[in-house]
Amino acid sequence: MNAPSSRLSGFHKQSVADRVARVAEFSGLDQADRDLLAGSGHLDLELANRLVENVVGTMNIPLGVATNLRIDGRDYLVPMATEESSVIAAVCNAARQCYDNGGFTTSMSGTQMIAQIQLVEVPDPEHARIRILERRDEIRAICDGCDPVLLKLGGGFRDLEVRVIQSRSGPMVITHIVVDTRDAMGANAVNTMAEKLGPSIAEWTGGRTYLRILTNLADRRLARARCEWRTEDIGGAEVRDGMMIAYHFAEADPYRAATHNKGIMNGVSAVVLATGNDSRAVEAGAHAYASRSGRYTSLTRWEVTREGNLAGVLEFPMAVGLVGGATKAHPMAQVALKMLGVKSAEELARIIAAVGLAQNFAALRALATEGAQRGHMALHAQNIAMMAGARGDEIDAVAKRLVALGKVRVDVAETELAALRAGR
Ligand code: MEV
């Protein structure tokens, strides 16, 4: 028999039901699979179909709430969407251990996004650079003319940067327009401006404009969080010093820094996703920022204060918004934002930075003391028990046995489940 073809012509124009039928035929999905696809949960299929292309269903991810967070003197309950066990518990624990010491203090460098316009085929790039800089007022007018609503909300063009870079395609003149996008993440706003500006830049310089797109290295939109954990609140000086050694490892070694920063992003991406924001944009910005010295390193910085407290800071690009895209359209994102009670994109960004710092504290503490696995295992064992076929009360019973045995494996879970069912 011929292998089925993935050339599904007209697929994008079909109804969701018809798409499901074709995918079911291609992949051999049974009725139970098809029923699962049809039950879209809280995200209406009609709406899902408007958000992205070729929709056949929706994918539910657990939404949890991080407690104990005190940020800038106010208490928050923070929604987190993640499939990974221990992530939410870790934030709650880290936040509890600094709550009595005042919690987190946050700030933001601004809400400015940058779009790039690439100019090539200019024989005199340095000359062209200055000519573009001379047009600042016209550039401002073109950018602000694209978005009167943004202007009314106090946003709009803020700054102009032009650089000459060398590349394998020759010299390029790269124009950055810096735009305050206020409560919008701003991708659409700045991309529109960059596209509008392209022909003028080509005309002023005699070059050719190519790419016109935002940069995710949003370093004019840095969210900052800091916090001090008192030594007595975190288990003593030995724990604190162990955490410092763990941090120095990440600072010195990109292999470790990748995992260290992944831990930060466990918390960050969970809040970004829960609020309907673009988690890939935030991830790209974070990792690019972590490499800005030319060597990839830790996004957080840790120190011991004169009083002996463990002080952590996190500063990184945080391009999130409250208006536009899935943030406005997704009903659960709206509930998440209501839960948070944030009034601005800046406030949301600052909360996310606090969560990232808390997440990193928790990982460092776990790794420097008992290791990551102990806290992880209780929930993980439940997943394994379910994979082995446990249902209802059996899940807890089998998971407890796995943890007690120190063998959280599916084969062991199957044996334990069989024993439980046989009354042994
Ligand atoms: C696991 O998702 C995250 C950690 O690996 C982070 C870290 O190592 O710092 C525990």
Side-chain angles (χ1 to χ4, degrees), residues 270-290:
V271 187
V272 172
L273 191 61
T275 55
N277 275 288
D278 183 342
S279 55
R280 289 85 54 218
V282 172
E283 302 255 354
H287 294 293
Y289 195 70

Side-chain angles (χ1 to χ4, degrees), residues 118-122 125 164-174:
Q118 179 194 26
L119 181 77
V120 296
E121 296 173 18
V122 249
V164 177
I165 63 168
Q166 301 303 327
S167 80
R168 294 209 298 157
S169 299
M172 296 175 182
V173 183
I174 309 298

